[in-house]
Amino acid sequence: MGLSGIDEAYVRSGLPGTIGVAALFTGDPFDLAELRARLSERWGGLERMRQILKKPRGPAALSGHRWDAGKPFDPARHVTASDQELQPLLTTAVSQRLPSDRPLWQLLLPKAAPTGEQGLVLLTHHALLDGSSLETLLRLLMDEAPPTRSRPPGEIAKTPRQRVGPAALFREFRENNVLGEPLPVTPGDFRPSVAVSRLDPDVMRSARRLPAGGRGATLNELLLGAVAGALPACYSTASASWPQGPASVYATVPVDLRGRYETQKLGNFITGIRMPLPVGIDSPAGRLHACQELMAAFPSRGRAHTTVLPVVDGLVRAVPALTTALAKRMVRPEVTTTVCTAFKWRDNPSHLHSRRLTGIAPLPAVSTPGTANLTLVQTADAYMLTVVSHLRAHDSQLIADAVAHELAAMAEPETTPAYAHQDAH
């Protein structure tokens, strides 16, 4: 079976393509045999989890990769224990490719965290699964696994798409192709790094109530507003001319294209909508408000993507060489400087073999040098921030600390002093 256009792009990007999700639980260490049995029971019948990536049958410019159905996966090969703690394990994983002789996923059990929490890390190649798929798979493992949602009898097979005019399509094409600025780090210093941080829940609750008298802020809006302040705070001293303008640094926000009754569909069903970060606004509250206004346009912008993507998919399937060119362009740091994702884990409480879920930290992919990708997840009262950067060795933690400070400044905009930059060296 041939790959979709987006799957093929992830394969041809030239990057490791490894993404994942880490979940933390209370209680004793997991029993490997018990966990493997649960995996076989819950995932054994999922076709996507058995697919093996096969190389093109002919020249890569003329033919694409394909999925082979393969045999049932072997839990003993896919589920293993690690002698690393969580953060070093994630740093290693994001920089490496998964073994290609079996389905492109792996479940690892790191050493217990200093808090005593037990970790579970699901890794995959982005060509096989997207972030929403990882969330679905994790839910299916839980003791309280949700039932599959099916379309009620009599439901219309497809919701009619709203028409998108040429002007809207042109605007979206322009927004997704204008070049921004990569983060200003000397090329010789580039190396991938990962930082996982817990955020203060009181700060997050206060920040989410902003603006006063308004509807409140979503997690995505908070993350984008904080990143808009954190990146200049970390890097404006590295280059006196960075950033060069108030709309010169772009963030890409993944948007799930699944319908109401497709939430458990596995694969890649996302698009990325780019927005200029309001780095030229001085106050944290002002940056948050600007991000809220920019994200208000996302539903209409998403309709443009829904209109165009089937056409693009057909084109790149027919001309695989075009996929390579588009994939390599989209990972350029001027195009995708940062990817920002935020969501809430809504199934609380959740347990795995009677161990309570205490936090989730997705692992975004490492991109090209000069970039940083971030995720923010709320699990009950726990907020976890993950930063994956391809910058200096300690820049992921530097960015994470700056984002935490910006969120605190949003929660108390009139009293919090400006963030004082600290060099990573």
Side-chain angles (χ1 to χ4, degrees):
M1 179 178 66
L3 273 65
S4 69
I6 190 170
D7 292 352
E8 188 76 26
Y10 285 129
V11 172
R12 293 179 180 243
S13 68
L15 298 168
T18 302
I19 63 171
V21 60
L24 295 174
F25 299 85
T26 60
D28 297 329
F30 287 103
D31 179 86
L32 268 178
E34 190 178 42
L35 194 56
R36 287 166 177 164
R38 172 67 61 89
L39 217 72
S40 296
E41 173 196 346
R42 302 287 176 87
W43 295 358
L46 301 175
E47 179 184 0
R48 193 73 174 179
M49 303 305 285
R50 300 196 304 268
Q51 291 177 329
I52 298 175
L53 184 67
K54 295 293 184 179
K55 294 182 179 180
R57 290 190 173 96
L62 302 177
S63 59
H65 293 74
R66 65 191 191 281
W67 294 118
D68 182 78
K71 299 178 181 179
F73 61 80
D74 179 3
R77 299 183 72 192
H78 281 279
V79 183
T80 57
S82 171
D83 59 0
Q84 291 183 298
E85 293 186 355
L86 179 62
Q87 194 151 299
L89 186 153
L90 296 179
T91 301
T92 300
V94 80
S95 307
Q96 295 182 344
R97 297 179 185 275
L98 291 165
S100 60
D101 61 340
R102 54 183 183 266
L104 295 172
W105 62 270
Q106 190 170 14
L107 195 72
L108 297 175
L109 300 180
K111 292 174 62 177
T115 59
E117 293 167 302
Q118 306 299 325
L120 181 152
V121 178
L122 173 59
L123 303 172
T124 185
H125 194 290
H126 211 330
L128 184 71
L129 301 165
D130 59 16
S132 292
S133 298
L134 293 177
E135 186 181 352
T136 293
L137 289 168
L138 192 56
R139 281 194 167 93
L140 290 176
L141 283 185
M142 297 296 170
D143 299 344
E144 311 87 354
T148 301
R149 297 183 69 184
S150 58
R151 190 179 299 278
E155 184 79 15
I156 298 175
K158 287 188 177 180
T159 303
R161 291 180 180 175
Q162 293 179 297
R163 295 186 62 182
V164 180
L169 293 176
F170 176 76
R171 284 195 301 271
E172 190 57 28
F173 175 82
R174 182 183 59 196
E175 285 294 326
N176 275 276
N177 285 278
V178 62
L179 296 182
E181 295 184 63
L183 301 178
V185 178
T186 305
D189 292 337
F190 290 144
R191 65 192 69 184
S193 67
V194 176
V196 179
S197 303
R198 291 185 186 269
L199 301 175
D200 187 327
D202 292 330
V203 167
M204 296 302 298
R205 282 191 290 268
S206 296
R208 292 197 70 177
R209 289 194 287 266
L210 297 175
R215 61 170 173 80
T218 67
L219 288 176
N220 256 317
E221 292 164 351
L222 287 176
L223 178 60
L224 290 163
V227 170
L231 294 182
C234 292
Y235 296 105
S236 59
T237 59
S239 173
S241 61
W242 191 91
Q244 293 183 357
S248 56
V249 182
Y250 280 78
T252 300
V253 181
V255 175
D256 197 335
L257 298 177
R258 292 169 176 82
R260 180 182 178 187
Y261 296 102
E262 299 174 319
T263 56
Q264 295 185 0
K265 195 173 181 180
L266 301 180
N268 279 293
F269 302 97
I270 56 172
T271 189
I273 298 182
R274 294 175 77 229
M275 58 175 271
L277 290 172
V279 294
I281 297 177
D282 291 335
S283 72
R287 289 189 288 269
L288 173 59
H289 181 68
C291 288
Q292 289 180 307
E293 291 187 333
L294 288 166
M295 290 204 70
F298 270 35
S300 61
R301 294 183 64 184
R303 289 193 287 273
H305 285 241
T306 303
T307 300
V308 170
L309 284 176
V311 178
V312 175
D313 185 70
L315 182 62
V316 297
R317 282 176 183 260
V319 188
L322 180 60
T323 311
T324 303
L326 290 174
K328 291 187 179 297
R329 184 184 187 281
M330 289 310 298
V331 298
R332 288 173 55 187
E334 310 95 295
V335 177
T336 307
T337 308
T338 180
V339 179
C340 296
T341 309
F343 68 88
K344 180 179 180 179
W345 179 270
R346 300 187 183 280
D347 299 340
N348 291 305
S350 293
H351 300 82
L352 179 56
H353 294 303
S354 301
R355 297 162 179 82
R356 182 173 57 85
L357 178 69
T358 57
I360 292 176
L363 179 70
V366 67
S367 195
T368 46
T371 60
N373 299 330
L374 300 91
T375 62
L376 172 62
V377 179
Q378 177 187 357
T379 309
D381 288 332
Y383 294 82
M384 297 190 72
L385 173 70
T386 308
V387 181
V388 174
S389 70
H390 201 159
L391 300 160
R392 297 171 299 191
H394 304 290
D395 276 17
S396 287
Q397 191 61 59
L398 179 72
I399 295 170
D401 292 343
V403 167
H405 183 93
E406 288 294 317
L407 290 166
M410 288 179 193
E412 300 182 44
E414 300 300 325
T415 60
T416 303
Y419 177 74
H421 171 77
Q422 296 178 356
D423 196 347
H425 296 296

